[in-house]
Amino acid sequence: MLQTTTVEGWSGVIADLAAKRQRAAEHTERLRVEKQQLALEAATGGGAAKKRLGQINVELSRLAVEADDWQSALAQAEQSKRHAEHVEAEAADRVRQEELSALATAAVRHAAEYTAALRQAAKAGAAVKLVIQNMLSRATPQESRGLNQLLGYGAFMRAAEHAGMRAHLEFESYRGLKEHIVPLEEDLAGRLERWLKGKENTNGD
């Protein structure tokens, strides 16, 4: 009894049945040729020819029935192969759907991380501007000009571009010098250098 349930297994069964059917067909053709060659001798009284012709006729009858059996067996094997293909396709689709489900879950998780990072960035940006506003309340008019620039979008947009956000957000690329595209803390450190501890006051204030 056949134990195979796979497409590969049924393909092997079909190939084996087809080969056996082909050998039977070739044997049938050889017998028919031999029968034709013996027909005249058997008809004119050749005893040995008649006997052999009788054997050939019996064998041809058996092979005719066997040919139907091969055809039926092949048809059943083909049907079983199609069923196996369907089963394997469904199994492969289940695996594919499970993989897609895992990937979709990961995408949503990363999206949540992205949203949380944006919220944190917005919160940190607001904190930076609040500190700058506090500095403005203490700064001279000359000092305020540089501080006011930090309340605009420029430094924040360049920092976003430096962080790679143009791959995810639509905004115009900075048209100035590429060396101006730096992290926000680096930009601020340069502008607030005179007040940072350990930095020399170049204006003598």
Side-chain angles (χ1 to χ4, degrees):
M1 183 176 180
L2 290 175
Q3 299 297 322
T4 186
T5 58
T6 65
V7 173
E8 182 180 3
W10 282 116
S11 295
V13 170
I14 290 169
D16 182 60
L17 289 173
K20 289 178 178 178
R21 182 181 65 174
Q22 181 60 30
R23 287 195 294 270
E26 291 171 354
H27 180 46
T28 298
E29 184 59 28
R30 286 193 296 270
L31 289 176
R32 284 173 178 164
V33 170
E34 185 179 356
K35 177 180 179 179
Q36 186 176 10
Q37 293 171 345
L38 292 171
L40 179 59
E41 184 179 350
T44 56
K50 284 184 178 181
K51 182 179 179 181
R52 176 57 184 157
L53 197 58
Q55 293 172 342
I56 291 174
N57 286 332
V58 170
E59 182 68 4
L60 286 173
S61 296
R62 184 189 68 80
L63 288 170
V65 174
E66 190 177 77
D68 289 339
D69 292 341
W70 289 126
Q71 188 59 38
S72 296
L74 277 167
Q76 292 177 31
E78 290 283 2
Q79 182 178 2
S80 296
K81 180 185 176 184
R82 287 192 294 272
H83 176 70
E85 288 172 340
H86 179 70
V87 170
E88 290 185 12
E90 285 188 334
D93 189 62
R94 283 195 298 272
V95 171
R96 185 179 64 84
Q97 291 297 333
E98 289 171 0
E99 291 173 345
L100 286 171
S101 177
L103 291 170
T105 301
V108 171
R109 184 178 67 252
H110 290 310
E113 294 170 354
Y114 176 81
T115 299
L118 287 177
R119 288 196 182 106
Q120 182 59 34
K123 182 179 178 180
V128 168
K129 290 186 176 182
L130 180 60
V131 172
I132 298 300
Q133 288 169 348
N134 285 332
M135 292 181 71
L136 280 168
S137 69
R138 295 164 173 80
T140 65
Q142 182 180 358
E143 293 168 339
S144 296
R145 286 196 296 271
L147 292 172
N148 277 321
Q149 291 179 357
L150 296 176
L151 295 177
Y153 297 115
F156 292 89
M157 293 296 290
R158 291 192 297 275
E161 185 169 350
H162 180 272
M165 291 304 295
R166 288 193 68 245
H168 311 289
L169 299 176
E170 185 177 355
F171 60 87
E172 187 175 355
S173 179
Y174 179 64
R175 296 182 179 181
L177 298 175
K178 293 299 181 183
E179 52 263 32
H180 292 169
I181 302 175
V182 296
L184 184 60
E185 65 273 19
E186 186 175 325
D187 194 329
L188 264 65
R191 295 171 184 269
L192 306 178
E193 183 177 9
R194 69 175 70 183
W195 295 296
L196 293 176
K197 290 183 179 180
K199 299 292 184 179
E200 182 181 358
N201 186 340
T202 56
N203 292 334
D205 295 339

